């Protein structure tokens, strides 16, 4: 099953060095379709990555990814379930040296004034790479986050917090993960 697709557009200067690069992509998963009575492929995420820093040799030194995740709501309409921005930095050889993500999670909550469910930010998180090996493989990340809701006065209150530490092997595959919250 295909889990994603992307298109990269790149421009080089007259000497062949990269001067601009933009990647647009999607992530897929299978969801249950009542009409088809089967699981069908559905776009669950979209992103755009831009090379925001390219040195004179054409090496991408910084990139910024802006993405979102989606699902269908009870009416069959697409609704956002999250968004994030990731900024990554590479050394002069193009090897990843740091990467940080800031994101939010969304859900629909009942709005008495509107008399309907409305989209609301129910969580926020930050993921930092804390260990990257010499080949640019992320070996460890730390995510800190919290969840929120509205209290009886309509003010936002924190309902939980967590820290997740993940470890990857030399191939970048997750090998363990621990969450404390």
């Amino acid at each position: 099953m295909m889990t994603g697709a992307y298109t990269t557009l790149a421009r080089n200067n007259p000497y062949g060095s990269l001067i601009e690069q933009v990647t647009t992509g999607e992530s897929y998963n299978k969801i249950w379709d009542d009409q088809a009575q089967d699981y069908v492929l559905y776009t669950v995420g979209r992103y755009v990555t831009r090379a925001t820093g390219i040195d004179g040799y054409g090496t991408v030194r910084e990139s910024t990814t802006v993405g979102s995740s989606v699902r269908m709501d009870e009416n069959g309409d697409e609704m956002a379930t999250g968004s994030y921005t990731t900024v990554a930095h590479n050394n002069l050889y193009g090897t990843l040296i740091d990467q940080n993500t800031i994101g939010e999670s969304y859900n629909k909550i009942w709005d008495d004034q509107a008399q309907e469910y409305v989209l609301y930010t129910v969580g926020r998180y930050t993921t930092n790479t804390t260990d990257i090996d010499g080949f640019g493989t992320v070996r460890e990340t730390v995510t800190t986050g919290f969840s929120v809701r509205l209290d009886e006065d309509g003010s936002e209150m924190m309902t939980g917090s967590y820290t997740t530490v993940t470890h990857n092997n030399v191939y970048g595959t997750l090998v363990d993960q621990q969450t404390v919250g």
Side-chain angles (χ1 to χ4, degrees):
M1 150 181 133
M2 183 168 58
T3 59
Y6 64 92
T7 300
T8 298
L9 299 173
R11 281 189 331 120
N12 297 337
N13 65 20
Y15 308 103
S17 297
L18 182 69
I19 58 171
E20 184 181 3
Q21 182 173 289
V22 177
T23 300
T24 304
E26 295 181 333
S27 301
Y28 309 120
N29 204 347
K30 287 200 171 185
I31 64 163
W32 182 256
D33 184 321
D34 284 333
Q35 287 182 327
Q37 288 295 296
D38 198 4
Y39 286 93
V40 296
L41 205 58
Y42 184 74
T43 301
V44 294
R46 295 178 181 86
Y47 66 91
V48 175
T49 301
R50 297 181 187 284
T52 48
I54 301 172
D55 69 19
Y57 294 93
T59 302
V60 176
R61 300 299 298 274
E62 180 183 88
S63 64
T64 301
T65 301
V66 176
S68 63
S69 53
V70 296
R71 65 161 291 155
M72 282 193 222
D73 67 11
E74 69 279 0
N75 300 317
D77 297 324
E78 189 171 276
M79 68 173 256
T81 58
S83 65
Y84 65 92
T85 299
T86 300
V87 177
H89 294 100
N90 302 324
N91 64 19
L92 65 119
Y93 308 109
T95 305
L96 181 68
I97 56 173
D98 76 64
Q99 180 174 284
N100 301 296
T101 300
I102 297 172
E104 295 182 333
S105 300
Y106 311 119
N107 205 349
K108 287 196 173 183
I109 64 164
W110 182 255
D111 184 320
D112 283 332
Q113 288 182 338
Q115 287 295 296
E116 66 179 345
Y117 284 93
V118 296
L119 204 60
Y120 186 73
T121 302
V122 295
R124 296 179 180 87
Y125 67 91
T126 302
T127 301
N128 297 303
T129 54
T130 50
D131 184 17
I132 300 172
D133 69 21
F135 292 91
T137 303
V138 175
R139 301 301 301 274
E140 182 183 82
T141 65
V142 176
T143 299
T144 55
F146 59 93
S147 52
V148 295
R149 64 159 290 150
L150 297 178
D151 67 14
E152 67 275 358
D153 299 325
S155 300
E156 191 169 276
M157 65 177 262
M158 186 166 56
T159 58
S161 63
Y162 64 93
T163 299
T164 300
V165 178
T166 64
H167 295 102
N168 301 323
N169 64 19
V170 296
Y171 309 109
T173 304
L174 179 67
V175 293
D176 71 68
Q177 175 176 297
Q178 182 178 15
T179 299
V180 177

